[in-house]
């Protein structure tokens, strides 16, 4: 799931027009021009499409936090460097802070797409990447969350609004049994021994180590409501 998809789905869910998006970026001192904004709102197969950079999406989410919760004294947004990446976990965490979502809210939003997730599983998503209970947030989980957010905020089917045929599938589980596989255990062996079909859609337990969390430099520090 590329950042363009995330930004476009957020824009739809939160009912933001071009001018409002520019105002959100202005809160983090980023002047986004309308032609560039239009290009990153396009789909990959549309003429004029440009990829949305990690730093741009990070600044938008930081601006959304400031818009909804105010600017925290002494805390300034830090732009990600060219080689720093914004993970799905960080995207979900920033949205959670910006919209003041509790665990129960996120669970209810995912349920709009028939996607089930427990509080324990959510807790693993918001751990530090070097924590032993950390779980990577995959595209499937984030996509269902954003679709559910659009349904919650607009009362419409986001698939129809995005020009896609709505799915008739009764459940949005990943392939396999869809159960939470639990945290990665230290020294858990090779990736070939890891169970397939993790509902998070991310890196399997026992696989490669998580990427460096340098991208966390770009996160504003807010204490999310519990």
């Amino acid at each position: 799931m590329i950042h363009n998809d995330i930004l476009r789905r957020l824009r739809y869910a939160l009912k933001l027009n071009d001018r409002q998006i520019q105002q959100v970026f202005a809160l983090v001192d980023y002047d986004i021009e309308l032609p560039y904004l239009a290009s990153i709102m396009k789909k990959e197969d549309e003429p004029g499409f440009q990829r949305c950079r990690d730093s741009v999406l990070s600044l938008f989410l930081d601006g959304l936090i400031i818009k909804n919760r105010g600017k925290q004294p002494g805390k300034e947004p830090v732009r990600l460097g060219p080689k720093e990446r914004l993970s799905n976990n960080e995207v979900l965490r920033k949205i959670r802070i910006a919209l003041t979502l509790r665990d129960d809210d996120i669970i209810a939003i995912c349920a709009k797409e028939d996607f089930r997730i427990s509080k324990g599983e959510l807790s693993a998503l918001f751990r530090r990447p070097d924590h032993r209970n950390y779980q990577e947030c995959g595209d499937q989980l984030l996509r269902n969350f954003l679709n559910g957010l659009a349904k919650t905020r607009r009362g419409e089917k986001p698939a129809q609004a995005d020009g896609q045929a709505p799915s008739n599938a009764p459940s949005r589980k990943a392939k396999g049994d869809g159960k939470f596989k639990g945290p990665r255990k230290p020294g858990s062996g090779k990736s070939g021994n890891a169970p397939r079909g993790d509902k998070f859609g991310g890196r399997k337990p026992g696989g490669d180590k998580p990427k460096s969390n340098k991208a966390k430099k770009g996160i504003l520090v807010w204490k999310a409501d519990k």
Side-chain angles (χ1 to χ4, degrees), residues 40-103:
I40 62 176
M41 287 296 175
K42 293 179 180 291
K43 297 180 182 179
E44 288 185 274
D45 58 352
E46 294 180 328
F49 166 84
Q50 290 189 57
R51 278 192 174 271
C52 177
R53 299 187 300 273
D54 293 68
S55 59
V56 172
L57 179 59
S58 180
L59 286 172
F60 174 76
L61 294 174
D62 288 342
L64 199 61
I65 291 173
I66 294 174
K67 177 181 180 292
N68 293 340
R69 305 192 62 166
K71 192 170 186 178
Q72 194 172 32
K75 298 292 182 181
E76 294 292 333
V78 180
R79 296 190 186 188
L80 298 181
K83 295 184 179 180
E84 293 181 309
R85 298 291 173 256
L86 185 71
S87 70
N88 285 349
N89 298 64
E90 291 158 350
V91 170
L92 185 61
R93 183 153 70 91
K94 283 174 182 260
I95 296 174
R96 180 192 192 189
I97 294 170
L99 303 182
T100 320
L101 299 175
R102 299 176 182 272
D103 288 350

Side-chain angles (χ1 to χ4, degrees), residues 97-205:
I97 294 170
L99 303 182
T100 320
L101 299 175
R102 299 176 182 272
D103 288 350
D104 289 337
D105 298 324
I106 297 177
I107 291 171
I109 288 171
C110 290
K112 292 282 186 180
E113 289 291 291
D114 296 321
F115 188 87
R116 296 183 294 277
I117 186 169
S118 69
K119 288 186 177 182
E121 293 166 353
L122 272 180
S123 177
L125 297 176
F126 298 123
R127 300 282 188 183
R128 291 177 59 89
D130 57 356
H131 193 282
R132 68 184 184 88
N133 291 333
Y134 172 83
Q135 181 72 38
E136 186 175 290
C137 176
D139 289 347
Q140 184 194 35
L141 193 159
L142 186 58
R143 183 182 298 109
N144 279 290
F145 169 76
L146 292 172
N147 287 346
L149 182 65
K151 287 183 177 180
T152 301
R153 294 284 178 135
R154 302 184 65 110
E156 302 174 19
K157 290 187 177 181
Q160 292 178 323
D162 202 28
Q164 303 172 9
S167 172
N168 294 322
S171 177
R172 298 299 185 91
K173 283 187 177 183
K175 295 179 180 179
D177 59 14
K179 295 180 180 179
F180 178 54
K181 304 300 181 182
R184 181 171 57 250
K185 295 180 180 180
S188 55
K190 298 181 180 179
S191 58
N193 296 327
R196 303 179 65 85
D198 191 337
K199 74 182 288 184
F200 290 99
R203 185 177 293 108
K204 307 297 185 298

